[in-house]
Amino acid sequence: MFFKSLLRKKPLEALIHNKSNSIHLKQTLGATDLVFLGIGAIVGTGIFILPGTIAALYSGPAIVISFIIAAVVCALAALCYSEFSSSVPVAGSAYTYGYVIFGEFIAWLLGWALLLEYGLAVASVASGWSSYFKTLLSGFNLHIPDAISGAFNPAAGTYVNIPAIAIVAIIAYLLTRGVRESTRVNAFMVILKISVILLFILVGMFYVKPTNWEPFMPFGFSGVLNGAALVFFAYLGFDAVSSAAEEVKNPQKNMPIGIIGSLLVCTILYIAVSIVLTGIVSYQELNVADPVAFALQVINQNWIAGIVSLGAVVGMITVILVMLYGGTRLIYAMGRDGLLPKSMAEIDEKTSTPIKSTWTYAVIVMFFAGFVPLQRLAELVNMGTLFAFMMVSIGIIFLRRNKSIGSGGFKTPLYPVLPILSFLMCLFLITRLSMATWIACGVWFLLGLILYFTFGRRNSTLNK
């Protein structure tokens, strides 16, 4: 009876019923809207900060290969996500898919992993946003003291990152007031970010020195693989597109286009930026908080560096908004299912938003944004994400065997080879993460297990 309760599944009909009774946007999004939404969620810290840090510490100029390896893994997972979002067009992403395919216990683990992904993704982007915000203010001769603008590191004279905490608090407040990104605003932000990135590429390509690409692989191929496990973080966001499934017109057709299309565009941008960045400045000098702006300052293009900083500051805000929104709605969904306190699913009558779940999640995220270094945040995010990708990938096999779910919509090609390959590649990248990351994530999942067995399992709505 105990093990049977762990494997109890939520019928798709029940999810559809929940969907009809929960707060959601109308089905107004098309394929183009989804591509812009995906790019808006993906393009942030991954392109403005990580290429410099990873090149300096792990991959060198071969970070281009790291990005390609990570993109291949993401592409395989994206195909699996596309089939799930097409077959189960309900909010909740991997958490919901797990509830339908694997049962409650695996769904809980996936939801717990996604909370780690979304929360620390917001914290890390907020940390990166803080660095570019400082650079932008310095252009106006305004300076924030180092002691209150960096993660806790007394040796370096930094204790708390106040700007990072502030931006998360501001976005959380906007979410509680019922603010939602319209597709027009999101598209404008995406166009702005892409324009800034293209400006850097077009200007920087004239200052590239091929000698900076030597040695191309200073840390060996092992360093390239380690770099791939970390730059994997740069692609986070395409899976958040699947959370919009309820709001999409013709999800069977448009969801795959949105997920795969946004991933393709971002991969091209990442590779181009990495080539130009490591060509302008030696990889050994790129371990800075704002490498793109730093590279432009090295070639005396300070006015363009200011534009890039402005674009990064504005662009990262949309990433924080989308990811924080996804995390708070995931807590709302888990509270609605009884796996978290019902108060997390309470909706404010005036604003029609889950205020309690939003602030609970935001306060936790603010702690990590204010005190934990960016690199450590990126590694922790990758662990949670790779676990979710693994389960979604292997879940395709179980999805195909579930006759209660319609067979229409997008199908992952080369079944079952591709889903299994996706599973194995995600598993391989997990093994490249540091032992400290394994230990930290182990503690996180241990807390999740304690919470599930002491509260979630007993209060699940499936008990009724």
Side-chain angles (χ1 to χ4, degrees):
M1 191 67 180
F2 173 77
F3 291 104
K4 186 176 181 180
S5 68
L6 298 182
L7 300 176
R8 54 193 175 188
K9 302 174 183 177
K10 177 166 284 192
L12 183 59
E13 294 77 12
L15 290 169
I16 297 297
H17 177 71
N18 275 338
K19 181 178 75 170
S20 65
N21 288 284
S22 60
I23 295 177
H24 62 284
L25 298 175
K26 296 180 180 179
Q27 292 182 322
T28 57
L29 301 179
T32 303
D33 299 319
L34 289 174
V35 171
F36 276 110
L37 183 65
I39 298 173
I42 295 171
V43 177
T45 308
I47 199 165
F48 290 112
I49 295 178
L50 279 186
T53 305
I54 305 303
L57 301 179
Y58 297 93
S59 305
I63 188 176
V64 175
I65 300 177
S66 296
F67 269 116
I68 293 174
I69 293 173
V72 170
V73 176
C74 286
L76 296 177
L79 292 171
C80 298
Y81 263 94
S82 296
E83 179 166 344
F84 261 115
S85 61
S86 176
S87 303
V88 188
V90 183
S93 190
Y95 164 71
T96 301
Y97 308 153
Y99 227 143
V100 175
I101 299 301
F102 297 113
E104 184 174 279
F105 180 64
I106 296 299
W108 167 263
L109 292 179
L110 285 168
W112 198 245
L114 289 175
L115 288 178
L116 181 72
E117 173 192 343
Y118 291 139
L120 296 190
V122 171
S124 59
V125 173
S127 177
W129 179 88
S130 174
S131 298
Y132 273 89
F133 184 63
K134 283 182 62 179
T135 300
L136 182 64
L137 289 181
S138 65
F140 298 96
N141 290 322
L142 299 174
H143 303 280
I144 301 176
D146 291 338
I148 60 171
S149 58
F152 184 76
N153 185 5
T158 58
Y159 296 91
V160 59
N161 197 333
I162 295 297
I165 293 175
I167 190 62
V168 175
I170 291 171
I171 297 300
Y173 175 76
L174 291 176
L175 289 174
T176 61
R177 303 308 300 170
V179 176
R180 295 178 178 176
E181 277 192 308
S182 70
T183 54
R184 288 184 180 180
V185 172
N186 184 66
F188 170 77
M189 291 289 187
V190 169
I191 292 173
L192 175 63
K193 287 192 284 190
I194 292 179
S195 298
V196 168
I197 294 166
L198 291 178
L199 177 63
F200 166 74
I201 294 171
L202 292 175
V203 172
M205 62 188 296
F206 292 103
Y207 294 89
V208 167
K209 297 178 181 178
T211 53
N212 285 329
W213 293 328
E214 299 174 359
F216 183 69
M217 207 176 290
F219 303 101
F221 192 67
S222 176
V224 173
L225 293 176
N226 292 336
L230 294 176
V231 298
F232 189 84
F233 169 81
Y235 293 100
L236 297 189
F238 80 83
D239 56 319
V241 175
S242 64
S243 298
E246 289 185 18
E247 304 149 37
V248 178
K249 295 180 292 185
N250 191 5
Q252 287 75 17
K253 174 185 176 183
N254 292 330
M255 287 303 300
I257 295 175
I259 293 174
I260 299 170
S262 58
L263 183 61
L264 178 61
V265 172
C266 292
T267 299
I268 295 173
L269 291 176
Y270 287 162
I271 291 174
V273 167
S274 297
I275 292 174
V276 174
L277 183 64
T278 55
I280 294 176
V281 183
S282 170
Y283 71 92
Q284 297 172 322
E285 302 176 30
L286 288 175
N287 188 23
V288 294
D290 50 353
V292 174
F294 170 74
L296 289 170
Q297 291 170 350
V298 168
I299 58 177
N300 295 320
Q301 297 293 335
N302 292 322
W303 67 276
I304 297 180
I307 294 176
V308 169
S309 295
L310 177 61
V313 166
V314 174
M316 289 183 190
I317 290 177
T318 63
V319 182
I320 296 172
L321 182 58
V322 173
M323 289 296 198
L324 190 61
Y325 176 89
T328 58
R329 282 359 181 224
L330 178 58
I331 287 184
Y332 166 74
M334 297 173 78
R336 181 188 61 195
D337 292 335
L339 302 184
L340 289 177
K342 285 290 186 181
S343 60
M344 295 296 99
E346 292 178 3
I347 300 296
D348 183 77
E349 293 182 1
K350 293 183 179 180
T351 63
S352 297
T353 59
I355 291 181
K356 290 183 179 179
S357 65
T358 299
W359 279 115
T360 299
Y361 197 52
V363 168
I364 296 172
V365 169
M366 282 188 279
F367 170 80
F368 285 98
F371 295 98
V372 182
L374 174 64
Q375 180 187 345
R376 189 64 61 203
L377 287 171
E379 289 194 30
L380 290 172
V381 172
N382 289 348
M383 178 68 82
T385 307
L386 285 166
F387 173 72
F389 284 7
M390 284 169 57
M391 299 310 296
V392 168
S393 298
I394 206 68
I396 293 297
I397 295 175
F398 295 89
L399 176 68
R400 295 283 182 97
R401 295 178 178 177
N402 192 324
K403 302 303 180 184
S404 66
I405 299 177
S407 58
F410 179 84
K411 294 297 180 185
T412 304
L414 301 177
Y415 173 87
V417 175
L418 194 148
I420 294 175
L421 182 61
S422 176
F423 174 86
L424 293 176
M425 292 188 73
C426 289
L427 179 62
F428 173 74
L429 285 185
I430 279 184
T431 64
R432 308 300 300 188
L433 296 175
S434 68
M435 182 57 65
T437 300
W438 276 87
I439 294 173
C441 287
V443 172
W444 172 256
F445 279 102
L446 179 61
L447 292 174
L449 291 174
I450 294 173
L451 182 58
Y452 174 74
F453 285 110
T454 58
F455 181 88
R457 179 173 169 271
R458 292 189 297 172
N459 293 278
S460 170
T461 55
L462 292 187
N463 284 334
K464 305 174 183 179

